[in-house]
Amino acid sequence: MNAPIVNPALTKNQTLVFDALNRAEGPMSAYTILDKLRDHGFRAPLQVYRALDKLTEFGMVHRLESLNAFVACAHRESECCGGSHNHGQGTVAFAICESCNQVIEFHDHEVDHHLGDWAKSKGFKPSKTTIEIRGLCEKCAA
Amino acid sequence: MNAPIVNPALTKNQTLVFDALNRAEGPMSAYTILDKLRDHGFRAPLQVYRALDKLTEFGMVHRLESLNAFVACAHRESECCGGSHNHGQGTVAFAICESCNQVIEFHDHEVDHHLGDWAKSKGFKPSKTTIEIRGLCEKCAA
DNA sequence: TGCCACACGTTATAGCATAACGCAATTGAT
DNA sequence: ATCAATTGCGTTATGCTATAACGTGTGGCA
Ligand SMILES: [Zn+2]
Ligand SMILES: [Zn+2]
Ligand SMILES: [Zn+2]
Ligand SMILES: [Zn+2]
């Protein structure tokens, strides 16, 4: 059994940003987060970006490249790979509804495997892989 | 045999942008393209973005979401799915070297299939899928 | 001829992200 | 305890990415 990364102690700003993302139903841009936190003393984008950098590093927040926005990690203890916020080697993938902005976070080991094989066959050393599916969620497609 | 999409007639601006991307070794941002085309009369970002929109629609150019940049499509006649600029149903994937900025365009039918299965199982209707692997190419990893 | 669709040019503005500075709090030796 | 190194923080300014809104010109076509 692999010890999951222990939840690091968050600073005040990191906590505020993380809580804001968790309260939100969907992804938020850094500037949207900033606006939500003005009442808590936030004045400048860097306060948000610095917190987001750390939270992303901790695996507690993901950046959605196709949206220039951020979401709280949706992994829960019951997930297949165990451990909150521990994505291990696995690549996280996202399905993003363009109608209701819902984001479904998942990972697919088969996809990981095939992309890993491709990389190995080309001698390419991956550092970060982005998989984002834009489309319509079940409700919105109906 | 499936008739590939015929290469559409390009306007002057579209041709200039496409040629600039083809001449470039790697991806370019819209503003970099703008700078390269100032001598050809380009003055404003919209001239570039409008051309890029069309070229992307034609499948002749791809946007790299994780870079906010654009590359000319690297598919050639000899590729597996036949037909230049005809990606059919397949999702295009990119491996991006963070050292030399080389971009390798490929597609992996198995990956497509697995992501398609996932979507079907969730009732999600994909419209566009982004797959980008950041890392080091064979030469730069050595 | 009048209409429509489309490419184009221009100006202005919106939205996303980081550089560079200085200060304060924390940590971890010595 | 003290010094040095690290880290977080706040602020100002700047840079990069993308689109809104307006008007012009042109070619196809009823
Ligand atoms: Zn996650
Ligand atoms: Zn939806
Ligand atoms: Zn292509
Ligand atoms: Zn390289």
Side-chain angles (χ1 to χ4, degrees), chain B residues 97 100 137 140:
Chain B
C97 178
C100 70
C137 75
C140 295

Side-chain angles (χ1 to χ4, degrees), chain A residues 45-109:
Chain A
L46 261 191
Q47 296 174 275
V48 179
Y49 281 109
R50 291 203 269 231
L52 286 172
D53 282 350
K54 283 299 181 185
L55 292 167
T56 300
E57 181 185 324
F58 299 154
M60 299 171 69
V61 161
H62 301 293
R63 175 182 169 80
L64 300 175
E65 300 289 352
S66 67
L67 292 179
N68 293 328
F70 303 83
V71 282
C73 176
H75 280 175
R76 293 296 172 260
E77 295 293 346
S78 59
E79 297 281 330
C80 61
C81 299
S84 67
H85 308 316
N86 180 20
H87 301 98
Q89 305 286 59
T91 296
V92 190
F94 303 91
I96 303 166
C97 179
E98 294 177 305
S99 170
C100 70
N101 297 313
Q102 176 194 179
V103 173
I104 307 172
E105 177 176 343
F106 67 102
H107 47 211
D108 182 319
H109 293 249

Side-chain angles (χ1 to χ4, degrees), chain A residues 91-94 111-112 115 129-133, chain B residues 115 129-131:
Chain A
T91 296
V92 190
F94 303 91
V111 169
D112 282 7
L115 290 178
T129 298
T130 297
I131 302 177
E132 296 177 15
I133 310 175
Chain B
L115 290 177
T129 298
T130 297
I131 302 177

